[in-house]
Amino acid sequence: MNRILSLAVAVVCGVIVLLDFFIPGPETAVASRILVEGVTILAVFGLLLGLLNLLAVHSQRLVKGEERRGLSGVLILGMLGALIVGIVAPASPANRWVFDHLYAPLQSSMTALLAFFAISAAYRALRIRNIDALILLVISLFMLFTQLPFGQTLWPELSAIRDWLLAIPVTAGIRGILLGVALGTITTALRVLLAVDRPYLGE
Amino acid sequence: MQVLEIITANIDLLALLFLLLFIVFFVLFTYRAKKGARVHLRQNRLYARLLNLAAQAVETGKPIHLGMGIGSLSGGIGPNVGTAESFIALTVFATLADRARGAVRPLLGTTADGTVLAAALGIVHRRNAQNGQAGLALNKAVRFYGPDPLAYAAGVRQTLAGEKPLANVLLGQLGAEGLWIAETNIKNTPAQLGGTTPPASSALLAVSLDQMVIGEDVFAAGAYLGRIAHLGSLVTQDLMRVVIILSILVGVILASLGYWV
């Protein structure tokens, strides 16, 4: 019974939202809005579940005295600290300080490291792999060269070649990928909507 | 009246017709696939290796790490939501859990989203109940690391360093954090595989992973991993691609003849 009810709820909800998209009307609009708002509320409960999961994993590690338990302790303290400050004083300077002076610099560092990771990965790929890696490297170096100021001086037609590369082959490739992704997304949605896939039943 | 004007005036109707055609083919080919109709699949080395790794997980007792990325099941509109990619990640998670049944710890899933976590926990709970192990701790199989790429990448990095899994599989909605995870994990796992759909992230992951799938191949995971019903949807996807190609060709001819301004 639970199974049939879950299936029916999932299919009916999906059909209502789809109907509202194609045949907009006051009744479907209200029903669709309620459903979409319901999803947002459920997502918040999902986040709460996530926090409990994080707390369970790291407190177990701390209690059992596993390797790297110190880092787990720091994580739990940081999580609870940010949570308490956020609940008690959401608009306080302390809450803002955590994001401005801890979180933002960490995020910037991660972004800055990406350039080095990309270079090390490309180097490794070139050493051990195939012709694909070579093509990737040659095109990357060429595109990098076209962005340099002295490149234009050395070869005035360079900007026209770069613009052509970006407008024709690169755009064609990206549009091809995006069309494929769109088809895949529709297929995945239909599988859930027509109950071929039932992730809400743990299947 | 120009063709472009007619299309613009009836865009919703055309989209509905496209969807209805999609549904007809989808139902037809899924029914045929379930009845045992043969579908030819070209070779895909990544999915073949995944099946092989699932068998190895049973033999070695080491888990496979499946990073399901930063996508969410809670919907929304935009290129970075990743709802469909998250469904595929869950399909792979469930299929590998089935394939590696009998292993002590077949899978270690990680996610940056609470709704994906809930769905993955549901899958693990159901598998454990089927195996008569309903009391097993669920948080050993699926872990959540903050609803943010930085927190997710840092958490996964830590997990991989501690657990040293058989393979690191990154499949789902991933951005630049995918490269960060893969590059800092070279020494921890012998195999790194995966796939994602955003073109920019695909380029980053392509240089770092041993094998990967991009674009629509990500959505073919279920069919390649042995889900019969997914074969039908894969055929539909290919057929609708032909419809789109033909539409583009018709558009090019009309534009060349001056009807598309």
Side-chain angles (χ1 to χ4, degrees):
Chain A
M1 186 60 194
N2 274 348
R3 188 184 162 85
I4 294 168
L5 199 64
S6 305
L7 279 174
V9 168
V11 172
V12 169
C13 291
V15 169
I16 289 172
V17 177
L18 201 62
L19 273 180
D20 179 49
F21 185 79
F22 285 114
I23 313 161
E27 293 84 11
T28 50
V30 171
S32 174
R33 195 168 49 92
I34 291 169
L35 287 171
V36 172
E37 281 173 6
V39 171
T40 311
I41 295 165
L42 281 176
V44 175
F45 278 99
L47 187 62
L48 197 63
L49 178 73
L51 287 178
L52 292 174
N53 176 278
L54 199 62
L55 203 59
V57 168
H58 288 276
S59 34
Q60 267 176 20
R61 195 174 287 168
L62 209 58
V63 169
K64 286 182 184 171
E66 287 177 19
E67 200 186 346
R68 295 167 190 255
R69 60 187 176 278
L71 291 175
S72 295
V74 172
L75 187 142
I76 291 170
L77 279 178
M79 190 175 84
L80 293 178
L83 197 68
I84 290 165
V85 173
I87 291 169
V88 174
S92 69
N95 199 20
R96 199 184 169 84
W97 187 89
V98 171
F99 283 93
D100 288 351
H101 294 90
L102 290 177
Y103 195 77
L106 278 172
Q107 207 157 30
S108 305
S109 309
M110 181 188 165
T111 312
L113 279 172
L114 282 175
F116 295 101
F117 285 143
I119 291 167
S120 79
Y123 174 69
R124 225 164 10 87
L126 192 69
R127 274 181 59 199
I128 54 173
R129 300 238 189 104
N130 44 33
I131 192 78
D132 297 355
L134 185 67
I135 294 169
L136 188 76
L137 187 77
V138 169
I139 298 285
S140 306
L141 288 177
F142 179 76
M143 292 307 283
L144 200 64
F145 185 68
T146 60
Q147 313 286 333
L148 298 172
F150 66 83
Q152 305 292 327
T153 318
L154 288 174
W155 191 5
E157 288 83 21
L158 209 57
S159 63
I161 296 172
R162 181 198 58 205
D163 291 346
W164 180 85
L165 276 173
L166 289 174
I168 310 295
V170 172
T171 307
I174 288 177
R175 282 185 185 167
I177 292 174
L178 291 179
L179 273 175
V181 171
L183 286 172
T185 305
I186 297 172
T187 313
T188 308
L190 283 180
R191 277 201 297 254
V192 177
L193 199 62
L194 300 176
V196 173
D197 274 356
R198 294 172 284 254
Y200 39 86
L201 291 175
E203 291 177 7
Chain B
M1 200 178 188
Q2 291 291 330
V3 177
L4 189 59
E5 285 174 36
I6 300 168
I7 289 176
T8 312
N10 300 293
I11 195 77
D12 281 352
L13 184 67
L14 283 171
L16 186 60
L17 283 175
F18 183 80
L19 187 66
L20 288 175
L21 190 66
F22 213 119
I23 291 173
V24 169
F25 284 138
F26 180 90
V27 172
L28 179 74
F29 287 116
T30 304
Y31 176 77
R32 277 170 55 90
K34 280 188 171 177
K35 286 284 169 193
R38 271 198 66 192
V39 175
H40 174 72
L41 288 177
R42 66 185 160 79
Q43 176 81 14
N44 186 304
R45 283 188 296 171
L46 180 124
Y47 294 129
R49 193 162 175 202
L50 262 185
L51 292 174
N52 198 10
L53 282 166
Q56 278 184 45
V58 180
E59 289 168 12
T60 60
K62 279 188 168 184
I64 298 169
H65 168 253
L66 178 64
M68 292 180 273
I70 56 169
S72 170
L73 294 183
S74 54
I77 296 169
N80 296 319
V81 175
T83 304
E85 290 82 353
S86 300
F87 273 119
I88 292 299
L90 285 169
T91 301
V92 174
F93 187 79
T95 312
L96 288 181
D98 282 338
R99 289 275 175 164
R101 191 173 285 177
V104 184
R105 255 182 84 202
L107 276 177
L108 174 61
T110 54
T111 175
D113 180 72
T115 54
V116 176
L117 172 76
L121 286 174
I123 291 167
V124 176
H125 179 68
R126 193 178 164 88
R127 297 298 180 283
N128 286 350
Q130 283 170 349
N131 294 341
Q133 300 170 313
L136 276 184
L138 293 176
N139 57 29
K140 280 195 182 267
V142 196
R143 290 177 192 177
F144 169 85
Y145 287 112
D148 174 86
L150 172 66
Y152 177 67
V156 171
R157 161 84 188 88
Q158 162 86 352
T159 298
L160 290 171
E163 300 280 346
K164 296 201 169 36
L166 185 65
N168 175 29
V169 183
L170 300 171
L171 196 96
Q173 181 76 7
L174 289 151
E177 69 283 354
L179 176 70
W180 203 59
I181 296 168
E183 274 304 294
T184 52
N185 185 50
I186 299 163
K187 289 178 183 166
N188 293 324
T189 48
Q192 298 209 92
L193 330 166
T196 191
T197 53
S201 327
S202 303
L204 288 176
L205 282 178
V207 288
S208 194
L209 297 177
D210 303 331
Q211 279 167 333
M212 81 169 294
V213 283
I214 61 168
E216 63 193 286
D217 278 355
V218 170
F219 298 99
Y224 277 96
L225 295 177
R227 292 222 168 178
I228 301 294
H230 284 215
L231 287 171
S233 55
L234 193 62
V235 176
T236 311
Q237 214 172 303
D238 285 347
L239 201 64
M240 293 312 286
R241 194 194 301 112
V242 175
V243 171
I244 289 176
I245 291 169
L246 289 176
S247 310
I248 291 171
L249 286 176
V250 170
V252 168
I253 293 166
L254 287 175
S256 307
L257 294 174
Y259 292 104
W260 192 298
V261 183

